[in-house]
């Protein structure tokens, strides 16, 4: 606890929050200075962490009966340093006031995100990382709010990210069950002992979370929406920090993938399928994604493919490469420079071949084939894509004028169209709205039918009882009326006599009758 | 009996004193009556805190007076960790509701009766948590129902309040009677009404009797918890009741069902005996969760949206209880408390909205974020809280409930569905928040002149929610101790 | 004629008192209030005489010497028993309130002077039925209660409905006594005896037929479904005080005489229990379901009374069928608390009518503003009847549950389920009645204020209502002494 690296880490987490709360009180110029000060401190801290090397330590804080621990290691540090470098780039590039608009809120968002990033990269507990991911997810969604008039971007982003978070939570909790601890290393080790069924669930949960976090097709829609306001510096959170966290998560779950050969094959197949799908869809220009999105998707899918077989060290290297690629692309996009198509394709090919050569010992033959073919495909695709001007035609035009299509068979085109409509459109653009509407419709239906039905049953039960009660009342009244009708007249007469009798005076001359009766009674009783 | 025992009796007797004074003090203004009520409740809050030292020392505080000796009934109260958790939650919620009611328009007329009944309502709940005698338990259990029923009838909104109150009374009364049957069955079998004595012996009952009693107890308490399909009393009662009563109903009274499940079937019988019902409880919880959320999605009345969300949240609690695991049950107890805070907050927000916009239809309210920034922030925190965002409380309890679900030994897919079902909570809460605070401003005339009391209590609850969420430690410890106190050891 | 004169002293005091009151009032032209006071005096005397019997009844060694009458053929014979004394005490106690209440309530009736003697005679007849040890005497006293009862019911003879109700009661109740007569014929034919103690040792099929006839006869007088049709009319149209007396004690106590007779005539406890339990479910269901739609307070109360008869029968049925003394004790307790609550309910409902001239709940909305105490007392009674905790009814409910669950077999549980359903439906009926008095309705309040027949209530009505309310509440909170008392009574019965 007292050694330098732990102190530095805690400071790294604390200082941005401190700055974030101070930001409220300053004007625009001071704010910017403070912001850069914070960035500098963060960078220096991270670099010193990197230099001090690996270190595990525990804090006196407790979360659910478990001591909160941190583990500092090189790979997350490098990832985080890369992220920070991206932030530097973005911050330097835009000195315009626009970049900080509305300055305070965005600065605060970034400081919170920095703090949460530390938690996500260094925490020894899965739950802490989950919390950090949730917080960052919320920040991403918040940055998408442009005006008070429209909350839909926020809602969509929040929902998608939440879905990923929840699947991750499910995976964590399934892991928690045998491990009885939230410590990441123990949990991952324990996962080896779990039955296949549980392992599959865990893997599915984590993988889905990764796919969402790195904005991979078909769950990348949130990033597309978040990029609507890409002139803001907060794009850093959604475009760089969040995927970086996703990559790191992928890096951590590699052991689970590699526990079983079946998982490896499935993951490889899945990644290849995703890769092909995204290439096809973007090649046919049916996706309104920008090149940034598409390239990122392709690279991320390659990373997942690699994760199936590659050793963690090499994978980490590849992840660093993708992340820097992401940052570079984002920067280029913002400065509106496009890469030469041939150069970039060759670069991709070269890099991937290098990776293949480095990892050839670990990869089995099918993986090498898949890897190589995918690389070639991706490079070719990049080249072709670079040749095209993506901005000239809108989506509708492509569909409306089939003769201007690229020379491809109608069949492939249809597949791509189907993929696009079902997966991409189906899940995001209309789909999410549709799902939500569907829920609302279902809810409406249940509300009117089932809820109303139950309500009606109760009401009917009650009214049935009342009806029985009423009909019985009526019948009884009928009977009693009929019975009473007959004796009505007789009663009148009796009444009259009764009244007359009551009106009469006591006849004292008849007093002897009761007297005699009493005498007889007394006689009888005394025997 | 020592001083502590007499102090314990104060939790029930001081509110009674308050009620008597209020009933006699006919000229009390609303503020005076409210302060008297708040003072009584504060006493009921301070006493358990004083008794905490005794509990920490490992002793439970017992107060006992003979009452109907020939029926084996005594006026005995017992404070253990489980009752402490529920008691403090309930008293805090009542206090918050009473402070809130100062700024509320309800209860202007006959306010001494109003506050007397609120006190009785709270008394019924604190008595329920403390009672160590089945006869006494039932009396307090019914007191809570009757007091709330009278409150709804007398101060409720809308023409149909009598019908609503009747529905509320009847449906909950059916549950109470089912509980009563079980209580008397226990009493008949062992000849004593003392709950602690019964807890020791109940496991010796024949298996069929145990099964019968578990079913009846569960259904009875589920009615109080408003689990689908016996939740029908809840939306109407919540809508019609005056706002402070709604807050107490939603935040405190629902949790009494949870207390009942823990105190009776779980504590009386072994967990093995409960095992056959675990799956059904979890499925019922799941259905209730999804159903409540769907209803909240379909609903237009803003008060009813939050009311249906209670159905949904109670589903989580039942799911956790049904898992019959340490995590699940501790999570449920914590969820009760967090849900109480969040629900109190949301209803306070709704109350302010109703006062400001004079409109209940969610389609006719919009764009209030600019006009009411503070309330917007409070509502946002409440919404994030209920959808389970990490630093806020409900996340802490939710993940424990889900962990319990995974631990329960039932197919993983069940818990996964429950977990993914919570996305519905996000959808309806976002719809609620987005429609009300974003978009076009409507209605045009919004009375932004909100009473200070309302604002202060709402902000206070918000702050409390954040604090509670950031420091789950003590709460977790208490909940675990509560579970230990009924099960005798960690399962 | 021989034996202990103390045995018939209460009966003699009541009968003689009735005569004396009538003559005195008639002769001296005393006012209604004075006559009420006189009746109270007589009742107090009878109470003292009844309590005087408790000591000898506890003396089990000499219990056989405690009788009065002649053992010759054709002579009449009285054997007191502790249940009779207990019920008699409650009846007299309630009549104290009823008489006091009538001191004000009957102030608009010119024919008040017959009222109190009739009440006293009814109680005397009831008591004699309990004490009667020979069938002839029993029949005679049953007739006496029938006749005085119908006279009381038709007391407001200017009202057509009242007379009709009286006539209905007369016809039906006479039918009951005639059935009893038929039973007596069979018994006499089979055994040639009329003394119950003698018949008990020589039962045969004839006596069993006779027992069945007695069962039917008492069922009519107790208002057992389907022989209950007189109940709503009578309780609705009789003076409210009379309804309170009938609903509270006279008709329900028939359920306690019935087993005393039937068991001695050779009917087994199981058969009797079965009869009671089966018809109890009809009573409960019919009572609560018919209760739902009633607007008239007293008609509502009369259906609730039918349901309560069912609860009582159910408890007693369990007691006999399963031989559970605790269930019998529960029955006695139930009888006593129902007596007080029902009497309170009818007195307060009567007070509404006396005050506003209407007993329709819809016209009485907001009445609590004008008569807060009465409204409170009425709601206490209704809440008690519906079994809300801390009032007397809840302890009764608890005891019924206990009895049924102690018995524990499927039959009892089935009965309990019906009882539960009825409790729930019953609360649907009680709650609106309870609430509507407090509902604010300005128009209604104005018309009520305008139509008030009297503006102030005197202590004559206030004292009985307040005392009864206190009894209902205090018994609910501290039932211990009462349950002790009943347990003593039951242990004594078991010992005999």
């Amino acid at each position: 606890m007292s050694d330098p690296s732990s102190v530095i880490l805690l400071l790294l987490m604390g200082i941005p929050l401190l700055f974030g709360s101070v930001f409220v009180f300053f004007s625009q110029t001071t704010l910017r200075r403070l912001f850069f000060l914070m960035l500098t401190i963060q960078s220096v801290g991270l670099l010193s962490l990197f230099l001090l090397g690996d270190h595990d330590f525990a804090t006196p804080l407790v979360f659910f009966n478990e001591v909160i621990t941190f583990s500092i290691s090189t790979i997350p540090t490098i990832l985080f340093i890369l992220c920070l470098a991206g932030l530097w780039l973005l911050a330097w590039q835009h000195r315009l006031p626009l970049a900080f608009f509305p300055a305070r809120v965005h600065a605060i968002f970034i400081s919170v995100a920095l703090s949460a990033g530390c938690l996500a990269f260094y925490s020894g507990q899965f739950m802490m990382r989950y919390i950090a991911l949730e917080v960052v997810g919320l920040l991403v969604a918040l940055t998408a709010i442009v005006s008070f008039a429209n909350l839909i971007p926020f809602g969509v982003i929040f929902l998608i990210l939440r879905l990923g978070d929840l699947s991750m939570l499910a995976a964590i909790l399934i892991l928690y069950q045998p491990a009885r601890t939230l410590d990441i290393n123990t949990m991952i080790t324990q996962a080896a002992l779990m039955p296949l069924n549980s392992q599959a669930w865990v893997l599915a949960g984590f993988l889905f979370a990764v796919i969402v976090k790195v904005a991979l097709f078909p769950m990348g829609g949130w990033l597309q929406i978040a990029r609507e306001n890409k002139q803001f510096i907060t794009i850093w959170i959604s475009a760089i920090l969040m995927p970086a966290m996703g990559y790191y998560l992928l890096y951590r779950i590699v052991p689970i993938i590699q526990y079983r050969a079946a998982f490896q094959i499935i993951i490889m197949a899945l990644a290849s399928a995703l890769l092909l799908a995204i290439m096809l869809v973007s090649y046919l220009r049916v996706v309104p994604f920008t090149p940034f999105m598409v390239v990122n998707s392709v690279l991320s899918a390659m990373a997942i493919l690699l994760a199936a077989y590659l050793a963690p060290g090499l994978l980490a290297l590849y992840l660093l490469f993708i992340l820097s690629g992401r940052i570079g692309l984002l920067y280029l996009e913002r400065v509106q420079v496009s890469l030469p198509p041939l150069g970039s394709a060759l670069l991709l090919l070269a890099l991937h071949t290098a990776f293949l050569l480095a990892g050839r010992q670990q990869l089995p033959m099918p993986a090498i084939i898949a890897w190589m073919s995918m690389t070639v495909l991706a490079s070719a695709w990049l080249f072709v894509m670079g040749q095209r001007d993506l901005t000239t035609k809108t989506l509708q035009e492509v569909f409306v004028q089939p003769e201007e299509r690229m020379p491809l068979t109608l069949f492939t085109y249809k597949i791509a169209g189907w993929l696009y409509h079902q997966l991409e459109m189906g899940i995001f653009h209309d789909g999410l709205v549709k799902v939500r509407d569907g829920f609302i419709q279902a809810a409406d239906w249940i509300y009117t039918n089932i809820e109303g039905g139950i309500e009606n049953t109760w009401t009917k039960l009650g009214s049935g009882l009342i009806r029985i009660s009423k009909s019985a009342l009526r019948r009884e009244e009928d009977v009693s009326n009929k019975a009473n009708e007959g004796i009505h007249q007789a009663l009148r007469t009796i009444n009259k006599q009764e009244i007359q009798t009551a009106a009469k005076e006591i006849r004292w001359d008849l007093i002897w009758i009761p007297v005699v009766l009493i005498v007889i009674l007394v006689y009888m009783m005394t025997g | 009996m020592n001083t502590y025992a007499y102090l314990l009796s104060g939790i029930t007797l001081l509110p009674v004193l308050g009620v008597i004074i209020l009933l006699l003090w006919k000229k009390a203004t609303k503020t005076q009556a409210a302060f008297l009520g708040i003072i009584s409740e504060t006493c009921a809050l301070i006493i358990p805190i004083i008794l905490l030292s005794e509990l920490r020392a490992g002793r439970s505080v017992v107060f006992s007076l003979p009452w109907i000796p020939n029926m084996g009934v005594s006026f005995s109260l017992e404070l253990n960790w489980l009752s402490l958790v529920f008691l403090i939650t309930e008293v805090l919620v009542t206090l918050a509701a009473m402070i809130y009611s100062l700024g509320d328009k309800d209860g202007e007329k006959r306010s001494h009766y109003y506050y007397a009944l609120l006190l009785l309502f709270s008394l019924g709940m604190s008595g329920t948590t403390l009672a160590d005698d089945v006869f006494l338990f039932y009396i307090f259990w019914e007191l809570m129902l009757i007091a709330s029923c009278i409150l709804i009838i007398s101060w409720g909104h809308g023409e149909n309040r009598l019908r609503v109150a009747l529905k509320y009374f009847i449906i909950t009364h059916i549950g109470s009677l089912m509980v009563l049957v079980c209580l008397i069955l226990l009493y008949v079998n062992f000849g004593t009404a003392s709950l602690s004595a019964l807890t020791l012996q109940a496991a010796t009952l024949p298996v069929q009797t145990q099964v019968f009693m578990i079913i009846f107890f569960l259904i009875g308490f589920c009615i109080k918890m408003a689990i689908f399909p016996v939740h029908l009393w809840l939306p109407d009662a919540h809508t019609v009741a005056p706002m402070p009563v709604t807050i107490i109903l939603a935040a405190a009274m629902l949790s009494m069902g949870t207390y009942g499940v823990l105190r009776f079937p779980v504590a009386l019988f072994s967990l093995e005996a409960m095992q056959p019902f675990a799956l059904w409880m979890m499925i019922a919880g799941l259905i209730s969760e999804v159903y409540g959320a769907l209803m909240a999605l379909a609903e237009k009345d803003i008060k009813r949206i939050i009311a249906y969300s209670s159905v949904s949240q109670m589903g989580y609690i039942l799911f956790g209880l049904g898992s019959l695991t340490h995590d699940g049950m501790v999570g449920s107890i914590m969820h009760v408390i967090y849900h109480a805070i969040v629900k109190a907050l949301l209803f306070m927000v709704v109350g302010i909205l109703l006062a400001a916009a004079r409109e209940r239809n969610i389609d006719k309210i919009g764009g209030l974020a600019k006009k009411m920034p503070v309330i917007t922030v409070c509502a946002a925190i409440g919404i994030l809280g209920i959808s389970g965002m990490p630093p806020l409380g409900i996340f802490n309890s939710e993940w424990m409930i889900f962990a319990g679900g995974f631990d329960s030994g039932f197919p993983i897919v069940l818990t996964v569905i429950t977990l993914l079902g919570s996305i519905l909570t996000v959808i309806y809460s976002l719809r609620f928040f987005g429609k009300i605070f974003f978009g076009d401003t409507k209605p045009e005339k919004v009375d932004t002149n909100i009473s200070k009391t309302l604002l202060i209590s709402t902000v206070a609850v918000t702050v409390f929610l954040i604090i509670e969420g950031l420091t789950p430690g003590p709460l977790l410890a208490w909940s675990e101790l509560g579970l230990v106190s009924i099960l005798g050891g960690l399962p | 004629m021989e034996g202990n004169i103390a045995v018939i002293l209460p009966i003699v005091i009541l009968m003689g008192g009735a005569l004396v009151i009538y003559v005195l009032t008639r002769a001296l032209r005393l006012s209604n209030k004075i006559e009420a006071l006189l009746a109270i005096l007589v009742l107090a005397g009878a109470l003292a005489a009844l309590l005087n019997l408790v000591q000898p009844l506890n003396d089990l060694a000499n219990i056989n010497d405690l009788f009065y009458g002649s053992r010759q053929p054709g002579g009449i014979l009285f054997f007191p028993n502790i249940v009779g004394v207990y019920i008699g005490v409650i009846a007299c106690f309630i009549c104290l309130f009823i008489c006091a209440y009538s001191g004000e309530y009957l102030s608009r009736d010119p024919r008040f002077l017959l009222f109190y003697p009739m009440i006293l005679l009814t109680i005397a007849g009831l008591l004699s039925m309990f004490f009667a040890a020979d069938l002839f005497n029993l029949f005679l006293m049953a007739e006496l209660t029938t006749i005085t009862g119908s006279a009381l019911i038709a007391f407001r003879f200017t009202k057509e409905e009242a007379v009709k109700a009286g006539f209905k009661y007369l016809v039906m109740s006479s039918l009951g006594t005639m059935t009893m007569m038929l039973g007596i014929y069979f018994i006499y034919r089979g055994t040639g005896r009329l003394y119950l103690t003698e018949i008990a040792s020589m039962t045969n099929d004839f006596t069993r037929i006779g027992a069945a006839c007695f069962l039917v006869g008492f069922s009519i007088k107790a208002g057992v479904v389907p022989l209950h049709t007189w109940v709503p009319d009578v309780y609705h149209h009789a003076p409210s005080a009379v309804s309170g007396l009938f609903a509270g004690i006279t008709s329900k106590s028939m359920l306690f005489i019935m087993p005393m007779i039937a068991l001695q005539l050779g009917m087994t406890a199981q058969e009797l229990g079965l009869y009671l339990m089966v018809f109890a479910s009809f009573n409960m269901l019919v009572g609560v379901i018919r209760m739902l739609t009633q607007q008239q307070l007293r008609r509502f109360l009369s259906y609730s009374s039918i349901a309560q008869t069912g609860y009582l029968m159910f408890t007693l049925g369990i007691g006999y069928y399963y031989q559970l003394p605790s269930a019998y004790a529960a029955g006695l307790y139930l009888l006593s608390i129902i007596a007080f609550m029902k009497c309170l309910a009818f007195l307060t409902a009567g007070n509404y009518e006396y005050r506003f001239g209407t007993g329709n709940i819809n016209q009485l909305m907001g009445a609590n503003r004008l008569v807060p105490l009465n409204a409170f007392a009425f709601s206490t009674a209704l809440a008690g009847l519906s079994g809300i905790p801390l009032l007397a009814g809840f302890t009764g409910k608890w005891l019924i549950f206990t009895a049924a669950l102690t018995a524990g077999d499927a039959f009892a549980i089935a009965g309990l389920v019906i009882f539960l359903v009825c409790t729930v439906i019953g609360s649907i009926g009680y709650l609106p009645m309870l609430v509507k008095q407090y509902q604010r309705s300005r128009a209604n309040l104005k018309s009520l204020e305008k139509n008030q027949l009297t503006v102030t209530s005197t202590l004559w009505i206030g004292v009985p209502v307040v005392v009864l309310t206190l009894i209902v509440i205090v018994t609910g909170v501290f039932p211990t002494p009462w349950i002790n008392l009943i347990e003593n009574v039951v242990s004594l019965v078991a010992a005999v």
Side-chain angles (χ1 to χ4, degrees), chain C residues 10-16 18 43 46 78 91-92 95 117-131 141 144-145 148 250:
Chain C
I11 303 170
V12 168
I13 289 177
L14 287 169
M15 286 189 170
L43 282 167
F78 288 98
C92 289
C95 275
M118 290 291 183
I119 293 266
L120 294 181
L121 280 179
T122 313
I123 299 295
L126 182 70
L127 213 51
S128 323
M129 279 167 85
F130 269 105
F131 285 2
M141 291 308 164
L144 177 67
T145 50
T148 50
T250 33

Side-chain angles (χ1 to χ4, degrees), chain C residues 1-58:
Chain C
M1 291 284 158
E2 55 193 275
N4 195 340
I5 195 82
V7 172
I8 58 159
L9 197 59
I11 303 170
V12 168
I13 289 177
L14 287 169
M15 286 189 170
L19 195 67
V20 170
I21 289 177
Y22 181 77
V23 172
L24 274 181
T25 318
R26 190 78 201 259
L28 305 178
R29 296 182 181 280
L30 298 177
S31 73
N32 176 32
K33 290 192 167 107
I34 307 258
E35 191 179 4
L37 275 180
L38 287 175
I40 287 171
L41 275 180
V42 172
L43 282 167
L47 255 180
L50 272 173
L51 292 175
N52 190 32
L53 269 178
V54 174
Q55 188 55 39
L57 276 170
N58 272 314

Side-chain angles (χ1 to χ4, degrees), chain C residues 302-314:
Chain C
S302 62
Y303 280 111
S304 103
S305 183
I306 290 173
Q308 252 108 37
T309 309
Y311 301 160
L312 197 52
M313 283 163 71
F314 177 58

Side-chain angles (χ1 to χ4, degrees), chain A residues 462 465-470 472-474 476-477 480-481 484-485 487-488 491-492 494-495 498-499 501-506 508 511 518 524-527, chain C residues 1-2 8 12 19 22-23 26-27 29 68 111 114 157-160 163-165 167-168 228-229 232-233 288-294 299 303 425 428:
Chain A
L465 280 175
I466 288 173
R467 212 176 302 127
I468 295 172
S469 188
K470 271 186 180 158
L473 183 72
R474 219 174 298 125
E476 187 170 290
E477 272 171 0
S480 92
N481 282 343
N484 289 334
E485 211 51 44
I487 54 173
H488 186 192
L491 282 176
R492 275 287 161 85
I494 298 171
N495 277 355
E498 177 87 19
I499 294 164
T501 323
K504 279 178 187 165
E505 286 290 301
I506 289 185
W508 290 108
I511 193 73
I518 288 167
M524 270 174 68
M525 281 176 130
T526 50
Chain C
M1 291 284 158
E2 55 193 275
I8 58 159
V12 168
L19 195 67
Y22 181 77
V23 172
R26 190 78 201 259
R29 296 182 181 280
Y68 186 82
R111 226 170 46 127
L114 263 175
F157 63 101
T158 46
K159 275 192 195 161
E160 204 171 296
V163 179
K164 272 185 210 165
F167 195 74
K168 197 168 183 176
H228 68 290
T229 47
D233 286 341
V288 290
I289 291 177
R290 296 295 310 280
M291 201 158 88
L292 296 178
T293 43
Q294 302 304 329
R299 226 175 159 75
Y303 280 111
I425 302 176
I428 306 180

Side-chain angles (χ1 to χ4, degrees), chain A residues 132-386:
Chain A
L133 275 174
E134 280 266 38
V135 171
V136 174
L138 179 67
L139 288 174
V140 170
L142 281 175
T143 53
I145 301 178
V146 191
S147 77
F148 275 132
N150 194 1
L151 197 68
I152 287 174
F154 172 84
V156 173
I157 294 176
F158 190 65
L159 266 183
I160 302 173
L161 288 177
R162 200 69 216 278
L163 213 58
D165 288 336
L166 284 178
S167 70
M168 180 177 166
L169 182 63
I172 294 173
L173 291 178
I174 296 171
L175 273 181
Y176 175 70
Q177 186 216 334
R180 306 308 303 169
T181 168
L182 291 168
D183 183 63
I184 293 181
N185 295 326
T186 324
M187 283 171 112
I188 300 280
T189 328
Q190 285 287 327
L193 310 172
M194 288 185 356
L196 175 67
N197 179 28
S198 307
Q199 277 182 348
W201 278 107
V202 169
L203 191 56
F206 276 133
L207 206 65
F208 187 71
V210 170
I211 290 176
V212 172
K213 302 286 166 195
V214 301
L216 184 58
F217 174 86
M219 300 305 284
W222 64 268
L223 187 53
Q224 185 76 8
I225 301 167
R227 280 164 49 82
E228 301 276 311
N229 54 353
K230 59 186 170 192
Q231 73 273 29
F232 297 151
I233 191 158
T234 46
I235 190 68
W236 176 74
I237 302 176
S238 46
I240 295 177
L241 185 62
M242 194 72 178
M245 287 173 160
Y247 291 141
Y248 185 52
L249 181 63
L250 178 66
Y251 170 73
R252 291 312 304 245
I253 62 165
V254 164
I256 303 179
I257 301 177
Q258 297 183 355
Y259 280 144
R260 293 187 193 257
F263 289 161
Q264 292 178 311
I265 294 170
I266 293 171
I267 299 288
M268 192 176 74
L270 181 78
S272 312
L274 282 177
L275 203 61
L276 284 176
I278 182 92
M279 285 197 285
L280 201 60
V281 165
S282 57
Y283 177 70
L284 294 170
R285 293 198 277 184
V286 285
V287 176
F289 279 175
T290 54
F292 172 80
M293 292 291 302
V294 180
V295 173
N296 277 334
S297 265
V298 168
L299 290 178
S300 305
M302 290 295 277
I304 292 177
L305 198 156
L306 274 183
Y309 289 102
L310 216 55
L314 269 179
L315 179 70
L317 204 59
Y318 186 73
L319 293 176
L320 290 177
F321 156 67
I322 312 177
L323 190 63
S324 30
R326 268 191 116 113
I327 297 168
L329 275 175
L330 186 68
Y331 181 74
L332 289 178
E333 196 185 55
R334 282 163 70 98
V335 294
Q336 292 173 346
V337 176
S338 54
L339 279 172
L342 187 64
S344 53
L346 284 179
L347 184 68
L348 191 75
L349 194 63
L351 270 170
H352 280 72
T353 320
F355 266 98
L356 180 71
L357 290 175
R360 69 186 184 282
Q361 301 295 333
Q362 301 151 3
L363 295 176
M365 201 33 117
I368 292 178
I369 294 168
W371 170 249
M372 213 48 235
S373 51
M374 287 303 150
T375 313
V376 172
L377 252 176
S379 310
W381 165 81
L382 200 61
F383 175 67
V384 175
M385 292 297 283

Side-chain angles (χ1 to χ4, degrees), chain C residues 47-254:
Chain C
L47 255 180
L50 272 173
L51 292 175
N52 190 32
L53 269 178
V54 174
Q55 188 55 39
L57 276 170
N58 272 314
D59 184 12
L60 291 176
N62 299 322
I63 191 86
N64 285 331
D65 297 341
L66 198 63
F67 72 94
Y68 186 82
S70 123
R71 288 177 183 278
Q72 311 295 324
I76 57 172
L77 191 59
F78 288 98
F79 256 119
N81 55 57
I82 188 72
V83 178
V85 170
Y86 176 77
I87 292 177
V89 167
I90 289 185
C92 289
F93 200 59
I94 281 178
C95 275
L96 284 179
F97 297 116
I98 286 173
C99 290
Y101 175 84
S102 307
E104 164 88 22
Y105 180 67
L106 289 182
S107 57
R108 289 187 216 125
D109 271 287
R111 226 170 46 127
F112 58 86
L113 84 165
L114 263 175
F115 183 84
Y116 302 96
M118 290 291 183
I119 293 266
L120 294 181
L121 280 179
T122 313
I123 299 295
L126 182 70
L127 213 51
S128 323
M129 279 167 85
F130 269 105
F131 285 2
D134 67 291
L135 293 174
F136 174 71
N137 196 9
L138 183 74
F139 168 73
L140 208 64
M141 291 308 164
E143 275 296 0
L144 177 67
T145 50
T146 303
I147 291 162
T148 50
S150 42
L152 278 173
I153 290 159
F155 184 73
R156 298 236 162 97
F157 63 101
T158 46
K159 275 192 195 161
E160 204 171 296
E161 289 91 354
V163 179
K164 272 185 210 165
F167 195 74
K168 197 168 183 176
Y169 180 73
L170 185 66
V171 171
M172 288 198 71
S173 198
S174 307
L175 209 67
T177 40
M178 284 305 128
T179 327
M180 288 186 202
M181 189 71 182
L182 192 68
I184 293 173
Y185 157 72
F186 280 119
I187 292 160
Y188 197 72
R189 169 126 203 296
T191 60
R193 295 284 190 284
L194 284 176
Y195 291 112
L196 279 168
T197 39
E198 288 173 18
I199 299 167
S201 59
M202 47 199 299
T203 54
N204 53 26
D205 284 349
F206 278 111
T207 58
R208 285 169 57 76
I209 295 172
C213 291
F214 268 99
L215 226 53
V216 174
F218 280 119
S219 298
I220 292 181
K221 286 179 93 67
V224 176
V225 173
L227 306 170
H228 68 290
T229 47
W230 59 272
V231 174
D233 286 341
V234 165
Y235 293 175
H236 185 191
H237 297 301
S240 208
V242 177
S243 308
L245 178 64
F246 269 62
I249 196 95
T250 33
S251 70
K252 289 194 178 58
S253 56
M254 295 301 158

